[in-house]
Amino acid sequence: MSSLPEFPAFKAIDLEDRAAFLPIIQRYQPESSEWTFTNLFMWRDHYRFRWSLYQGALIVLGRENGGETFAMMPLGPLPRRETVLMLLRWLEGEEKVARPRMERVDKRLVEELRDETLLKFEPARDHFDYVYAREELALLAGNKYRTKRNHINKFSRTYRFEYAPLKEEHLDACLELQSTWCEIRRCKEDLSLLGEWEAIREILAHFTSLDLRGGVVTIDGKVEAFTVGEMLNSDTMVVHIEKANPGLSELYTVINQQFAEACGKDAVYFNREQDLGIPGLREAKLSYHPHHMVEKFTVTLAGL
């Protein structure tokens, strides 16, 4: 591995940086979906992520679609107050950011800083993560999941499908399915969808190296849905990707249930990430009755 960058030096995120990130992330045991190496790696080009170390803390900066540079929250030794204030002031002074901010900050850091008058905290509802009890997703028991069970039963009557763990032999078929999905959804005309397509290519290209888990649903031997996740912390699986043939509407319900069932006792909870404020996506995530939400905040200097 190349030498580690020390603040104020930064470097772009590469696969070889995983060894430096993992111990810091694992010590922190994050609840926010952003904080896996995989997530930062797969979105590194879209957000132009770069990273550094400051007094043992991991610092990550990003920038999207020509906007201003922002910081992720520092991961590292407590307390983090001085690191947060230093980084926001550095963004203002050295990076010339008009409104220096820290994005996707978890409630743990907000609680650390709640008495800090130099900072302002704003809930970022569009980025709250939806967390579900894995067993509920696997069993879909009770009246509240009746519609979901009906979807699966209807699909089962219509198609003879098989579920299998995602392996290297499935990766090309997953890429083909995503390519077809993007043609139908016209990804090239939507920067968010195009960014997602690039991120999915990255995660599938490095599936083995990133030590990920996933599943596929096949019909007549053809991959029609796939999902990819990994353990976020000791009891939570985070689902990074879930894609299905858009012509088979019940498939999302099927692969969601099958992957939750396949994970067995490995995970107590499933973090299925945020809804980004998209009405249809919010409705879909709420329809699974989340166990709880992971709140996130934007932190800025007071008065700016």
Side-chain angles (χ1 to χ4, degrees):
M1 184 171 63
S2 59
S3 60
L4 304 180
E6 292 286 343
F7 186 85
F10 283 85
K11 74 179 291 290
I13 295 176
D14 295 318
L15 188 61
E16 66 179 8
D17 297 327
R18 185 170 181 264
F21 279 54
L22 285 187
I24 298 173
I25 293 173
Q26 288 169 353
R27 279 195 297 271
Y28 190 74
Q29 288 290 291
E31 295 181 69
S32 302
S33 60
E34 288 82 8
W35 283 108
T36 68
F37 177 77
T38 298
N39 191 289
L40 295 168
F41 177 79
M42 66 189 284
W43 290 101
R44 71 192 190 282
D45 290 335
H46 183 77
Y47 288 105
R48 301 182 188 178
F49 283 137
R50 48 200 173 106
W51 71 281
S52 183
L53 294 172
Y54 176 77
Q55 296 182 0
L58 175 62
I59 305 293
V60 177
L61 302 181
R63 187 175 183 177
E64 184 181 19
N65 297 334
E68 289 190 321
T69 300
F70 64 88
M72 303 291 283
M73 68 176 187
L75 247 60
L78 304 181
R80 290 177 283 177
R81 173 185 177 275
E82 293 302 327
T83 302
V84 169
L85 289 171
M86 179 283 299
L87 187 53
L88 290 174
R89 288 166 176 160
W90 181 84
L91 285 173
E92 183 180 32
E94 298 300 321
E95 292 281 301
K96 308 303 179 186
V97 175
R99 182 178 175 264
R101 70 192 194 279
M102 200 164 279
E103 294 283 10
R104 322 275 180 99
V105 172
D106 69 11
K107 198 169 184 179
R108 207 183 312 179
L109 181 53
V110 171
E111 287 297 317
E112 278 185 53
L113 303 173
R114 62 181 173 180
D115 296 326
E116 180 51 68
T117 58
L118 297 176
L119 297 171
K120 182 169 65 175
F121 311 96
E122 300 174 82
R125 172 61 182 86
D126 292 351
H127 294 291
F128 285 14
D129 286 337
Y130 292 76
V131 181
Y132 307 86
R134 182 208 59 82
E135 189 172 33
E136 287 198 9
L137 295 183
L139 297 178
L140 297 177
N143 188 58
K144 66 181 180 180
Y145 291 114
R146 180 185 299 171
T147 301
K148 305 298 183 188
R149 293 197 305 275
N150 289 342
H151 286 165
I152 293 174
N153 291 336
K154 178 184 175 183
F155 192 82
S156 299
R157 289 193 301 268
T158 308
Y159 303 98
R160 294 183 63 183
F161 72 87
E162 293 184 359
Y163 173 86
L166 196 161
K167 298 181 179 178
E168 190 169 352
E169 65 199 57
H170 299 119
L171 295 176
D172 286 344
C174 292
L175 283 167
E176 183 178 349
L177 173 59
Q178 175 61 24
S179 180
T180 300
W181 190 96
C182 261
E183 287 177 12
I184 294 170
R185 300 293 187 185
R186 303 170 74 172
C187 289
K188 292 182 179 179
E189 300 175 17
D190 185 316
L191 287 178
S192 295
L193 291 180
L194 189 59
E196 182 191 53
W197 178 205
E198 292 169 352
I200 290 173
R201 279 201 296 259
E202 289 284 8
I203 203 172
L204 291 176
H206 300 92
F207 180 80
T208 302
S209 299
L210 293 170
D211 195 24
L212 299 169
R213 294 183 60 176
V216 296
V217 170
T218 62
I219 300 173
D220 297 328
K222 182 181 180 183
V223 172
E224 298 288 5
F226 69 95
T227 188
V228 178
E230 66 180 316
M231 293 303 290
L232 174 64
N233 54 49
S234 62
D235 65 6
T236 304
M237 174 76 68
V238 58
V239 179
H240 293 301
I241 302 171
E242 186 180 82
K243 289 294 176 183
N245 182 333
L248 302 172
S249 58
E250 294 91 0
L251 251 179
Y252 281 103
T253 309
V254 171
I255 188 132
N256 185 357
Q257 182 273 328
Q258 291 284 300
F259 186 50
E261 184 176 70
C263 286
K265 296 180 180 179
D266 293 349
V268 178
Y269 301 107
F270 262 38
N271 181 318
R272 294 182 53 79
E273 302 191 339
Q274 58 273 86
D275 62 37
L276 301 175
I278 301 169
L281 190 55
R282 179 166 297 185
E283 181 181 0
K285 289 181 182 289
L286 288 171
S287 74
Y288 275 97
H289 309 286
H291 179 274
H292 63 275
M293 307 288 285
V294 176
E295 298 177 40
K296 301 175 199 173
F297 301 80
T298 298
V299 178
T300 56
L301 294 170
L304 292 180

